[in-house]
Amino acid sequence: MQNPEADPETKVVVSAESIQYGLEILQALQNETKSLKKSLKDVVTENEFEKRLLADVIPPSDIGVTFDDIGALENVKDTLKELVMLPLQRPELFCKGQLTKPCKGILLFGPPGTGKTMLAKAVATEAGANFINISMSSITSKWFGEGEKYVKAVFSLASKIAPSVVFVDEVDSMLGRRENPGEHEAMRKMKNEFMVNWDGLRTKETERVLVLAATNRPFDLDEAVIRRLPRRLMVNLPDAPNRAKILKVILAKEDLSPTIDFDAIASMTDGYSGSDLKNLCVTAAHRPIKEILEKEKKEHAVAVAEGRAAPALSGSADIRPLNMDDFKDAHERVCASVSSESVNMTELLQWNELYGEGGSRRKKALSYFM
């Protein structure tokens, strides 16, 4: 069907064995999906709090983000594979002794738009773990005392559907410093309940539950929370070679001109995050469409002036491939959302030096303590 030189009268013959083989593969895939969804439905919930949270659990097959969808960040991906995926996929290798037990908490921190949430989704997909996305709306209630019950339900449910990843995005808003004077008493109690269930007397060493937290303000976290996140990975702004990798992932399915030079685009986007590069590519992709619309508008005006019928509208086949001029034009419209010389960026680098993975641990005067 796809060969232009083939005889159009020729028909493809599919044997009964091939059809049977295809059906077996299809049924196996359907049964796997059904068993996964059925296993979540069969979870026995102890109370209404677990029942409500169970509706928000995302099976790994429904997330749809893998490490291949994330350009660059190779060192962070390798560390996550070692800390998260290996203990979940091969638990028999991590049962000898006490020190090789799976890590209970990982913090991803860095400037906005660098791919922290995407990394969390990829971890849950590749590790085959159920994904519980926790936000303030899912664990707060207007009734005093119910917030703590929701927090307890998060961890009791996570242990029932293990292996599971409890993901807390923008963790500084939920588990910030408890000495904050403007904070309500209910919020403080909820933080304490979170920590007790996370790593307290109620927790079991054998549970395959990981708390994965992401933030761009790690210096606002409570010290007890930092202690429960023993591995802290900085997801920094990409350099030029990594920006080229990210661009190749973003533009993998686009129609590109042979003149496209990924290294040239990467060199002119200094300081751009992964999210900024995505916005740049989206803006560049709209330029050929604008040209077609302007062309149609002119042709329509000429046809009306001459009294002719309006020409047919263009389709997707008429859109030209993207070229370097599109990206140069987009570069003038889309700028970096994070300044590498901003106060927030300096504080992130200083915090990484003190507490992050691979930091020098040299004490410096931290501007956010002043």
Side-chain angles (χ1 to χ4, degrees):
M1 287 170 67
Q2 295 176 353
N3 185 4
E5 298 174 4
D7 182 7
E9 299 298 322
T10 305
K11 293 183 179 179
V12 179
V13 179
V14 183
S15 67
E17 290 83 1
S18 297
I19 294 172
Q20 185 63 34
Y21 179 71
L23 280 171
E24 286 172 5
I25 293 175
L26 183 64
Q27 284 170 351
L29 287 170
Q30 287 175 339
N31 290 337
E32 188 180 334
T33 310
K34 281 179 185 174
S35 64
L36 192 62
K37 291 184 176 175
K38 188 182 176 185
S39 64
L40 286 179
K41 286 180 183 176
D42 290 345
V43 173
V44 179
T45 51
E46 293 177 9
N47 48 50
E48 59 173 312
F49 304 105
E50 286 187 5
K51 193 174 181 180
R52 287 181 194 173
L53 288 166
L54 186 62
D56 296 331
V57 175
I58 309 168
S61 56
D62 291 359
I63 297 169
V65 178
T66 64
F67 280 132
D68 295 333
D69 299 326
I70 304 169
L73 301 175
E74 299 304 326
N75 57 337
V76 179
K77 287 194 271 190
D78 290 342
T79 308
L80 286 172
K81 285 175 185 175
E82 175 198 329
L83 293 176
V84 185
M85 291 159 63
L86 273 175
L88 288 174
Q89 292 169 342
R90 301 287 304 278
E92 70 276 4
L93 297 177
F94 293 83
C95 59
K96 186 177 180 180
Q98 293 290 317
L99 298 177
T100 56
K101 284 185 177 167
C103 183
K104 285 292 184 80
I106 297 173
L107 176 67
L108 300 173
F109 68 97
T114 48
K116 298 182 289 294
T117 307
M118 277 190 81
L119 279 167
K121 289 180 179 179
V123 163
T125 304
E126 303 249 352
N130 291 306
F131 196 75
I132 309 175
N133 192 6
I134 299 301
S135 62
M136 290 299 291
S137 61
S138 61
I139 61 169
T140 50
S141 170
K142 64 180 180 179
W143 303 112
F144 194 77
E146 278 201 355
E148 293 95 298
K149 291 177 182 175
Y150 271 117
V151 169
K152 184 180 178 183
V154 167
F155 287 93
S156 62
L157 181 64
S159 63
K160 286 178 184 176
I161 61 171
S164 54
V165 174
V166 178
F167 179 55
V168 190
D169 206 357
E170 305 300 342
V171 66
D172 57 285
S173 67
M174 190 185 298
L175 301 172
R177 295 178 182 276
R178 283 175 287 183
E179 58 265 27
N180 187 357
E183 193 174 68
H184 196 272
E185 183 190 353
M187 193 66 206
R188 185 188 175 97
K189 287 185 175 182
M190 206 156 63
K191 288 177 188 175
N192 290 342
E193 185 71 23
F194 199 98
M195 290 183 221
V196 166
N197 285 277
W198 183 359
D199 189 14
L201 289 171
R202 297 177 192 160
T203 56
K204 298 172 188 172
E205 288 291 324
T206 54
E207 282 179 352
R208 293 162 69 195
V209 176
L210 168 76
V211 176
L212 193 55
T215 181
N216 45 43
R217 298 187 63 84
F219 33 82
D220 288 344
L221 290 174
D222 195 272
E223 284 82 356
V225 175
I226 296 170
R227 200 275 296 171
R228 285 166 169 81
L229 294 162
R231 304 300 291 265
R232 305 158 202 132
L233 307 173
M234 182 166 186
V235 187
N236 209 340
L237 292 171
D239 54 10
N242 284 326
R243 285 197 296 275
K245 287 182 186 176
I246 293 169
L247 286 164
K248 285 175 185 173
V249 171
I250 294 171
L251 299 169
K253 296 179 182 176
E254 304 301 319
D255 187 12
L256 302 176
S257 165
T259 60
I260 290 288
D261 184 357
F262 289 106
D263 293 328
I265 301 171
S267 63
M268 72 183 183
T269 52
D270 186 35
Y272 279 54
S273 66
S275 179
D276 298 332
L277 291 172
K278 176 83 179 284
N279 293 337
L280 178 89
C281 294
V282 169
T283 307
H286 280 143
R287 194 163 175 254
I289 298 172
K290 282 181 185 174
E291 289 177 4
I292 284 180
L293 292 173
E294 286 172 7
K295 181 186 170 188
E296 285 180 352
K297 192 176 178 182
K298 288 177 184 175
E299 287 176 353
H300 183 78
V302 170
V304 169
E306 294 177 357
R308 293 186 286 106
L313 296 177
S314 303
S316 59
D318 301 314
I319 300 173
R320 64 167 175 78
L322 295 175
N323 56 36
M324 284 299 290
D325 291 334
D326 296 327
F327 287 95
K328 287 174 183 174
D329 180 71
H331 181 250
E332 293 175 5
R333 299 169 185 270
V334 178
C335 62
S337 58
V338 180
S339 171
S340 56
E341 298 175 358
S342 66
V343 175
N344 191 48
M345 195 67 203
T346 308
E347 290 175 348
L348 279 169
L349 293 169
Q350 288 176 338
W351 198 88
N352 184 46
E353 279 289 299
L354 280 177
Y355 306 109
E357 192 101 345
S360 65
R361 311 289 178 266
R362 284 198 298 269
K363 295 283 181 184
K364 292 182 181 179
L366 298 179
S367 55
Y368 49 86
F369 286 153
M370 290 180 171

